[in-house]
Amino acid sequence: MSTSATPSVLFVCVHNAGRSQMAAAFLTHLGGDRVLVRSAGSAPAHTVNPAVVEAMREVGIDVSAETPKVLTTEAVQSSDVVITMGCGDACPYFPGKRYLDWQLEDPAGQGVAAVRPIRDEIERRIRGLLTELDIEPAA
């Protein structure tokens, strides 16, 4: 972990328009200011997937103002935990970082009904990550 008391987590997927956006939103929502959250994509899309926006709105989290961001070496270097979601070899590796690879279905091109189970699985994993980081989830 970093020398500061606030751990930092980076979520990476290809387009930064679905899985990584949902994960970042859940971690921000549940972890608050007790964790620093970033997300990025190896080949970012222009906008967040509309089905993802709708699925997150259903659980009270608004990601409509988010924009996909490009993955940078600096983002990886400044994160304690790097969670990849299908970005393959595009994510730079630095010794000493904690890397997790979450195998999740890609919501690209799918409707809200198909995104809901992906969203729910991401929330489950985020809650587990918070437990690992010794952070009590917000109510």
Side-chain angles (χ1 to χ4, degrees):
M1 290 297 172
S2 67
T3 55
S4 75
T6 305
S8 59
V9 179
L10 170 65
F11 296 100
V12 183
C13 67
V14 176
H15 301 296
N16 190 222
R19 296 166 288 187
S20 57
Q21 290 285 349
M22 288 189 282
F26 273 123
L27 188 54
T28 298
H29 181 74
L30 295 170
D33 60 2
R34 296 164 294 164
V35 62
L36 178 62
V37 182
R38 299 178 184 89
S39 71
S42 54
H46 295 291
T47 61
V48 174
N49 179 335
V52 166
V53 173
E54 180 57 32
M56 293 301 287
R57 185 175 290 129
E58 291 175 354
V59 294
I61 301 174
D62 184 4
V63 296
S64 63
E66 297 298 326
T67 57
K69 293 165 270 320
V70 68
L71 175 63
T72 65
T73 301
E74 294 78 24
V76 176
Q77 287 177 316
S78 61
S79 298
D80 297 310
V81 181
V82 179
I83 300 176
T84 59
M85 304 170 170
C87 72
D89 295 332
C91 189
Y93 178 81
F94 294 98
K97 296 281 173 205
R98 180 176 175 205
Y99 288 86
L100 300 171
D101 184 42
W102 289 358
Q103 296 294 317
L104 296 160
E105 188 175 347
D106 189 348
Q110 300 194 52
V112 176
V115 172
R116 286 183 188 119
I118 302 167
R119 173 202 66 200
D120 295 345
E121 176 61 16
I122 289 171
E123 180 182 11
R124 185 189 70 75
R125 292 183 188 206
I126 291 298
R127 288 181 180 280
L129 177 65
L130 285 166
T131 299
E132 291 175 27
L133 295 173
D134 200 28
I135 296 172
E136 184 70 28

